[in-house]
Amino acid sequence: MIRFQLFARLLAAAELALLACSAKGGVAAKYAEPEDGAVENRVFQDDYFGIRYPLPSGWVEDLKGPEPSASGYYSLAALKPEGKLVATIQISAQDNFFAPEPVKDAISFLNAMKQQLDPSLSAPHAVASVKVGGLDFARLDYSGAGLNHVVFATEIRCHTLIFSITASREAMAEMLVESLNKMSFTHVDQSISLAQAGPSRGGWPLCVPESLYVDHVVHKVDPVTTGPRYASVPVRLIVGADGKLEHVHAIAGFPEQVKSVTDALAKWEFKLYIVNGRRVEVETGLLFEFPKAPSQRNASK
């Protein structure tokens, strides 16, 4: 099954969170991050994805999940009923820029999940296209060991957003599926294309993969080599319509490497991104990889 296992928490998580806050600079209120979602007044809200999901009656938030992984996997929320545990809802997201396997679309994502299911599980129906909260989702149903599973996935901001329902009874699973129809999204332009983009469209920044954005970086400063060998720091950037770096989100990494990356990125310069004669705000992803820092003895030679 694709990435539904827990990931180990990073060392010094509190320290890393402070570094991430400093990377936001003065725009923390303007730019939300995926992991900022929370349940408030029995509504799960995540401003990064624009989600508003009223919890079913008698449901609460479970324990918080792990920190985001280096592959860009987020455990956004775990929900459960008060009292007897007869079902769960897991809300998660996979950053498509950093996914171990390329993600074409939500249907392909769930088809890949279906192919990796244990042979003891039954999934007789094809992955279906459905509407949830006004958006296009893919749906996968499977069952086994006395449990019923329904998984929904959709693409938002170059992420695969996933709702995974597990229930002991099929009727309970369908009740939870129906509850998702009460979900709403503050933006519904999930399929916006480069041709449609513009500075006044009122939605998210235009999502552009690194391979399509690399020519718009006109000045780079490499991060200082530090920290352990073979570590990596996946980063999301938002560059304003004026070509200025507005937001840095270091998704995961050792604190000293996160600091090195964010310090270097503050010195980068970018071209304007023009679509149909208009400047647009862009969101892209970069992966910084670190070898082992040289010892002081070797560095002095």
Side-chain angles (χ1 to χ4, degrees):
M1 191 181 299
I2 296 179
R3 246 164 275 105
F4 278 96
Q5 72 273 29
L6 294 179
F7 292 89
R9 292 183 178 274
L10 298 172
L11 296 175
E15 195 174 344
L16 177 57
L18 290 173
L19 286 167
C21 289
S22 67
K24 298 178 185 179
V27 296
K30 182 178 179 182
Y31 293 108
E33 294 173 352
E35 64 267 39
D36 293 339
V39 174
E40 297 181 6
N41 299 320
R42 292 187 177 270
V43 177
F44 172 72
Q45 304 181 44
D46 191 303
D47 289 337
Y48 182 87
F49 296 110
I51 304 171
R52 298 292 183 274
Y53 171 51
L55 272 59
S57 178
W59 278 61
V60 296
E61 186 173 17
D62 203 349
L63 298 175
K64 290 290 185 181
E67 300 292 330
S69 75
S71 64
Y73 178 82
Y74 295 87
S75 178
L76 301 178
L79 311 175
K80 67 177 183 178
E82 294 176 314
K84 188 176 180 180
L85 187 63
V86 294
T88 61
I89 301 174
Q90 174 71 36
I91 307 174
S92 55
Q94 172 62 60
D95 190 317
N96 296 345
F97 288 152
F98 308 111
E101 299 294 334
V103 178
K104 180 181 178 182
D105 53 39
I107 289 179
S108 298
F109 183 88
L110 291 189
N111 275 326
M113 174 184 289
K114 183 177 180 180
Q115 292 173 3
Q116 296 182 35
L117 291 175
D118 188 275
S120 64
L121 299 173
S122 173
H125 304 296
V127 173
S129 296
V130 296
K131 285 279 189 181
V132 179
L135 297 188
D136 295 321
F137 275 75
R139 172 174 172 166
L140 168 65
D141 292 72
Y142 65 97
S143 60
L147 295 174
N148 300 275
H149 305 268
V150 187
V151 183
F152 292 88
T154 191
E155 298 299 313
I156 296 181
R157 297 183 73 167
C158 291
H159 289 77
T160 302
L161 182 65
I162 307 152
F163 292 80
S164 181
I165 294 170
T166 300
S168 58
R169 293 182 292 108
E170 185 175 354
M172 171 64 73
E174 287 304 320
M175 183 276 288
L176 296 175
V177 167
E178 184 61 28
S179 78
L180 295 182
N181 289 323
K182 298 178 181 179
M183 181 165 51
S184 63
F185 293 84
T186 56
H187 301 295
V188 294
D189 56 347
Q190 66 182 125
S191 61
I192 192 155
S193 67
L194 287 173
Q196 297 169 309
S200 61
R201 64 188 175 89
W204 296 298
L206 183 65
C207 181
V208 180
E210 180 184 5
S211 60
L212 299 180
Y213 193 68
V214 62
D215 291 340
H216 285 73
V217 181
V218 297
H219 177 69
K220 290 184 179 181
V221 174
D222 292 330
V224 174
T225 300
T226 186
R229 183 188 291 269
Y230 306 131
S232 61
V233 179
V235 176
R236 279 262 179 163
L237 307 180
I238 295 179
V239 179
D242 58 1
K244 294 181 180 179
L245 181 65
E246 294 194 354
H247 185 70
V248 177
H249 175 208
I251 297 170
F254 289 92
E256 64 270 31
Q257 292 175 341
V258 169
K259 184 177 187 307
S260 177
V261 166
T262 54
D263 287 349
L265 284 171
K267 302 172 185 176
W268 283 34
E269 297 176 5
F270 307 87
K271 291 180 187 177
L272 299 178
Y273 202 94
I274 308 295
V275 180
N276 293 335
R278 297 176 294 179
R279 304 175 181 182
V280 299
E281 185 181 40
V282 169
E283 182 173 14
T284 190
L286 305 172
L287 182 65
F288 294 87
E289 298 179 298
F290 286 83
K292 183 178 180 180
S295 65
Q296 292 295 321
R297 179 178 179 181
N298 292 336
S300 64
K301 290 184 180 181

